[in-house]
Amino acid sequence: MSRSTTTAPDKEQVKAYLLDLQDRICQALAAEDGAATFVEDSWQRAEGGGGRSRVLTNGAVIEKGGVNFSHVHGTQMPASATAHRPELAGRAFEAMGVSLVIHPNNPYVPTSHANVRFFIAEKEGAEPVWWFGGGYDLTPYYGNEEDCQHWHQTAFDACQPFGEDVYPRYKQWCDEYFFLKHRGEARGVGGLFFDDVNEAGFEQSFAFMRAVGDSYVPAYQPIVARRKNLPWSERERQFQLYRRGRYVEFNLVYDRGTLFGLQTGGRTESILMSLPPLVRWEYDWQPEAGSPEAALYDQFLPPRNWLIQQ
């Protein structure tokens, strides 16, 4: 895929959108929680750039949630970015984005992750190379058909104005990306994952990134509202903590954003804010056949078509 176009990107326009998106997501999630607010922590990166991290902890609904904005730049592309783009080695780079992970208290409320980002690599005498990336995915502990359908239908509706093939392509990419190879299982029920988006030009590519970013709250908030007051016991809590271990494993072993942040000397506290506050591992644990826990593995984690309308 070509990573350059003739339309010059407007970096300030992208940055303004991302800052506003962070504001809107934090406001919506804090309102849904109803008891806690996001605490902001602004930071500077020695090599260039910085960001503002916002974290909500010990809320009525959200046990730990982080919504990060970062805008970093440097003189050398990190290894995580040039591994599959060797032609970009030696270029200066600029990256900005919003990334978030929400870990709820109630095991019947899924964890959710989202990010949208813009990347540009520049070199004197050469055309800049830029692209958009991002997506979102849902990680339930106890599967619910209505929730999964709503999540994917919202993603489908966001993609539809940009082409019939967009949702199925990025849904499949999400299923393949958020997969723990060493476990042979998906992290959750997927959603969207896209990268290297620029072929339609800056305006259209930016519009698509905004469509994804703007659809996160409509995708997640109704699920939280439906499930946050369901009763739960220690059994559900222990399974939630066990499954959170899969989240940790993915983020530390496979996640591109984590690797990029660490390799570029980003702020470690902000990079690792995605990790849950409590987690547990059990040696060779297996769910009881026919149990709600087994249903997650049998009915929800294998990739499937969740759309309400075909």
Side-chain angles (χ1 to χ4, degrees):
M1 176 185 290
S2 168
R3 294 186 177 87
S4 62
T5 70
T6 55
T7 309
D10 186 337
K11 293 184 284 188
E12 290 305 313
Q13 188 181 8
V14 177
K15 183 175 182 177
Y17 167 77
L18 292 170
L19 288 167
D20 178 65
L21 178 67
Q22 184 192 31
D23 288 342
R24 288 186 282 118
I25 290 175
C26 289
Q27 289 164 6
L29 293 176
E32 194 62 51
D33 185 273
T37 57
F38 284 88
V39 176
E40 182 171 298
D41 184 13
S42 296
W43 51 275
Q44 297 295 317
R45 177 174 170 271
E47 294 81 0
R52 60 185 197 189
S53 299
R54 292 180 180 170
V55 179
L56 186 156
T57 56
N58 300 318
V61 177
I62 299 170
E63 186 173 3
K64 179 187 176 187
V67 184
N68 251 355
F69 166 80
S70 64
H71 180 196
V72 301
H73 50 87
T75 57
Q76 292 289 328
M77 293 276 287
S80 61
T82 59
H84 61 296
R85 300 184 184 93
E87 76 278 7
L88 300 184
R91 284 180 176 247
F93 75 92
E94 199 167 341
M96 63 182 79
V98 167
S99 179
L100 68 95
V101 176
I102 304 300
H103 293 290
N105 285 304
N106 192 319
Y108 289 104
V109 181
T111 283
S112 71
H113 157 261
N115 80 87
V116 285
R117 59 189 181 271
F118 174 72
F119 202 101
I120 185 166
E122 298 176 284
K123 184 178 181 180
E124 189 174 350
E127 188 179 351
V129 178
W130 59 267
W131 64 91
F132 290 96
Y136 46 62
D137 66 292
L138 192 71
T139 306
Y141 304 97
Y142 289 89
N144 183 285
E145 297 267 343
E146 181 185 10
D147 293 349
C148 296
Q149 289 174 347
H150 170 79
W151 179 262
H152 277 274
Q153 191 66 45
T154 305
F156 173 87
D157 293 343
C159 292
Q160 199 63 4
F162 300 92
E164 294 285 341
D165 64 327
V166 174
Y167 168 79
R169 185 166 78 248
Y170 294 151
K171 190 267 188 189
Q172 180 179 350
W173 198 350
C174 189
D175 290 338
E176 294 171 352
Y177 178 73
F178 290 105
F179 185 81
L180 289 89
K181 301 178 184 66
H182 62 285
R183 297 283 188 181
E185 67 187 42
R187 186 170 85 171
V189 297
L192 299 172
F193 182 90
F194 64 95
D195 207 356
D196 302 323
V197 168
N198 65 10
E199 288 184 335
F202 174 75
E203 292 299 334
Q204 188 76 349
S205 301
F206 183 29
F208 174 69
M209 188 265 268
R210 294 198 308 271
V212 173
D214 293 345
S215 67
Y216 166 75
V217 167
Y220 188 53
Q221 191 170 13
I223 296 173
V224 178
R226 282 197 295 264
R227 310 296 164 204
K228 67 182 182 180
N229 293 319
L230 291 177
W232 52 275
S233 69
E234 187 63 17
R235 169 180 172 154
E236 287 97 331
R237 174 63 166 173
Q238 290 302 310
F239 184 61
Q240 178 196 49
L241 298 183
Y242 174 75
R243 286 298 306 174
R244 281 179 175 178
R246 299 296 202 264
Y247 214 90
V248 173
E249 290 176 21
F250 182 88
N251 278 26
L252 295 183
V253 176
Y254 300 113
D255 188 75
R256 289 186 192 176
T258 301
L259 295 175
F260 174 82
L262 295 175
Q263 289 177 0
T264 54
R267 183 172 182 266
T268 302
E269 286 298 309
S270 298
I271 297 164
L272 299 182
M273 72 166 192
S274 62
L275 301 183
L278 294 172
V279 64
R280 63 189 288 261
W281 280 267
E282 287 288 330
Y283 179 75
D284 198 28
W285 181 87
Q286 301 294 328
E288 180 183 345
S291 68
E293 291 81 12
L296 177 73
Y297 292 87
D298 299 337
Q299 302 172 30
F300 289 87
L301 295 184
R304 55 184 275 196
N305 181 358
W306 290 105
L307 291 183
I308 303 167
Q309 65 182 40
Q310 302 301 316

